[in-house]
Amino acid sequence: MSSHSAPPGPAYRRLSVEERRGQLLATARHLFAHRPPEAVSLDDVARQAGVSRPLVYRYFPGGKQQLYEATLHGAAEALRDCFVEPRSGPPRRRLTEVLDRYLAFVDEHAEGFTALLKGGSVAETSRTSSIVDGVRRAAAEELLHHLDRPHPGVRLRMAVRTWITAVEAASLIWLDEQREPPLPELRDWLVDHFLALLAVTAERDAETAEVVRAMAEREPAGSAP
Amino acid sequence: MSSHSAPPGPAYRRLSVEERRGQLLATARHLFAHRPPEAVSLDDVARQAGVSRPLVYRYFPGGKQQLYEATLHGAAEALRDCFVEPRSGPPRRRLTEVLDRYLAFVDEHAEGFTALLKGGSVAETSRTSSIVDGVRRAAAEELLHHLDRPHPGVRLRMAVRTWITAVEAASLIWLDEQREPPLPELRDWLVDHFLALLAVTAERDAETAEVVRAMAEREPAGSAP
């Protein structure tokens, strides 16, 4: 991460309540993105923000866990933003754009992303799990809207939910594999994976077969199947 | 679960140390299979085994967490056993047999399986996560041995690891969807998913292309692609 993304300045700056809260959150987000939650202390946050420990507590009386969860809410929002894509144009290109943004997020928040999704962290609770589940649900809903099937049957829904988990798993594996293969190849592989899973599902589900047909019609002539 | 699978008998039976330990583990496994770990207390284990609370502590000084982890080790072993399949015959049939055993395990241990894999449980620690990771690793190794690629390149390894997570996710989704679609359909869909993912991977990886070719040669003539 480049240095200009470090959280803003020294303690003596006068900040409004909102600004100070935002500064502490930015600091926490920066720290939690680059280390597992166990390796971040409230003192780290205070030091890096250039403020005292009691000041951090004044804004976040729940201490580190509260900061972690607030950070997670921010990250969840950023992830949801990744999924927003105009509902026009070839479906393959739309999926490619969304995955580009998602994978850039993974790339940038590697440590925190890994710790969160791998589980077993002491900072993990049913609350943090439900934030993560909310992001998965939002991804599934967005994808189903693009397929013009906001209320799918069980087979299409299962295909979409399974693929979303597969994307998440592949992202973790990619980080674990020293970021191999290159990001554009990973992205195209994930897109192809989705189309292949839909094709397999279409063999036993009329609704999915209809979705596959409608998608093919929206691709430019002569493009890959 | 049928009643004969309930753990054995009343307190006054004289059991050897090994028998008693086994009985407590069987009791714990039964309880943890049917409820999330939060909903199981040491008293439940003692009551159901027909012994006193101190006796449970004598065998498991670490209390509920130790019992939970011991149970998990047992479940992990049982899961590894599911994966063992003779390395001969058509690959599709082998995969089908393994998935049948795995999905039967999921079906029988639904509550515990769900709680464990969904995360966010208070009983979850880096130790329990590493037991689960060990099962995933064993599954990947076994599968790669069947593909005659014990030391695969990054692309084939990623395809196999991603599919294993997808199977796990689909199992959780299946439980969440009131066990729909029927188990044999889910199983065949997972097999087809694997073959489709290999085909997609083969498009950009010579090693995987070779694996796909070798698998096709081992299928009986006239079978589905």
Side-chain angles (χ1 to χ4, degrees), chain A residues 3 6 66 87 103 122 126 133 146 160 172 176 216:
Chain A
S3 59
Q66 192 187 356
R87 285 169 198 164
L103 293 170
V122 291
S126 57
D133 279 342
H146 279 276
V160 164
L172 285 173
D176 193 39

Side-chain angles (χ1 to χ4, degrees), chain B residues 29-223:
Chain B
R29 182 164 172 184
H30 182 82
L31 288 168
F32 285 121
H34 293 89
R35 301 183 207 162
E38 291 77 21
V40 177
S41 72
L42 205 77
D43 282 327
D44 294 333
V45 177
R47 197 177 315 118
Q48 181 128 11
V51 302
S52 67
R53 191 183 158 90
L55 189 113
V56 180
Y57 269 114
R58 200 184 317 148
Y59 282 81
F60 297 95
K64 175 178 147 180
Q65 185 68 24
Q66 192 187 356
L67 257 174
Y68 178 65
E69 292 185 20
T71 302
L72 205 52
H73 273 293
E77 249 174 65
L79 268 172
R80 279 165 205 256
D81 287 348
C82 293
F83 306 148
V84 179
E85 175 70 22
R87 284 171 199 163
S88 59
R92 193 186 166 90
R93 207 200 57 215
R94 291 187 234 169
L95 201 51
T96 302
E97 307 259 334
V98 170
L99 282 171
D100 267 337
R101 289 192 291 269
Y102 170 79
L103 292 171
F105 182 94
V106 171
D107 194 17
E108 197 173 326
H109 298 77
E111 289 308 318
F113 185 82
T114 307
L116 176 66
L117 295 180
K118 272 183 136 168
S121 156
V122 291
E124 197 185 335
T125 65
S126 59
R127 264 201 315 281
T128 63
S129 297
S130 90
I131 298 174
V132 177
D133 278 343
V135 173
R136 285 181 194 131
R137 222 169 15 248
E141 277 171 22
E142 188 65 22
L143 189 45
L144 286 164
H145 267 290
H146 279 278
L147 303 178
D148 292 320
R149 283 292 186 286
H151 306 291
V154 61
R155 288 166 182 80
L156 177 56
R157 189 164 57 228
M158 184 178 269
V160 164
R161 292 176 69 188
T162 299
W163 179 75
I164 285 167
T165 322
V167 169
E168 201 179 278
S171 309
L172 286 173
I173 294 166
W174 178 74
L175 291 172
D176 193 38
E177 295 275 8
Q178 273 78 50
R179 293 173 157 83
E180 276 294 321
L183 217 38
E185 183 183 333
L186 174 66
R187 178 202 61 204
D188 290 344
W189 180 72
L190 290 170
V191 172
D192 287 346
H193 181 179
F194 182 63
L195 300 178
L197 185 55
L198 279 192
V200 158
T201 310
E203 285 168 26
R204 34 181 81 76
D205 182 46
E207 180 184 31
T208 308
E210 173 56 30
V211 164
V212 169
R213 209 187 49 73
M215 282 176 78
E217 275 174 12
R218 291 172 149 257
E219 294 297 343
S223 67

Side-chain angles (χ1 to χ4, degrees), chain A residues 118-149:
Chain A
K118 270 183 138 169
S121 156
V122 291
E124 197 185 334
T125 64
S126 57
R127 263 199 318 280
T128 62
S129 296
S130 88
I131 297 174
V132 178
D133 279 342
V135 173
R136 285 181 194 131
R137 225 172 9 251
E141 276 169 23
E142 188 65 21
L143 188 45
L144 285 164
H145 266 290
H146 279 276
L147 303 178
D148 292 322
R149 284 292 187 285

Side-chain angles (χ1 to χ4, degrees), chain A residues 1-7 23-35 40 48 71 108-109 111-112:
Chain A
M1 214 177 211
S2 57
S3 59
H4 69 261
S5 63
Q23 180 219 14
L24 292 174
L25 277 175
T27 306
R29 180 164 173 183
H30 183 82
L31 288 168
F32 284 120
H34 293 88
R35 301 183 207 163
V40 176
Q48 182 128 9
T71 302
E108 197 173 325
H109 297 79
E111 291 307 319

Side-chain angles (χ1 to χ4, degrees), chain A residues 130-205:
Chain A
S130 88
I131 297 174
V132 178
D133 279 342
V135 173
R136 285 181 194 131
R137 225 172 9 251
E141 276 169 23
E142 188 65 21
L143 188 45
L144 285 164
H145 266 290
H146 279 276
L147 303 178
D148 292 322
R149 284 292 187 285
H151 306 292
V154 61
R155 288 165 181 81
L156 176 57
R157 188 164 56 231
M158 184 177 270
V160 164
R161 291 176 69 188
T162 299
W163 179 75
I164 284 167
T165 323
V167 169
E168 202 179 278
S171 309
L172 285 173
I173 294 166
W174 179 75
L175 291 171
D176 193 39
E177 296 275 8
Q178 273 77 50
R179 292 175 159 81
E180 277 294 320
L183 218 37
E185 183 184 332
L186 174 66
R187 177 202 62 203
D188 291 345
W189 180 72
L190 290 170
V191 171
D192 287 347
H193 181 179
F194 182 63
L195 300 178
L197 185 55
L198 279 192
V200 158
T201 310
E203 285 169 26
R204 35 181 80 78
D205 182 46

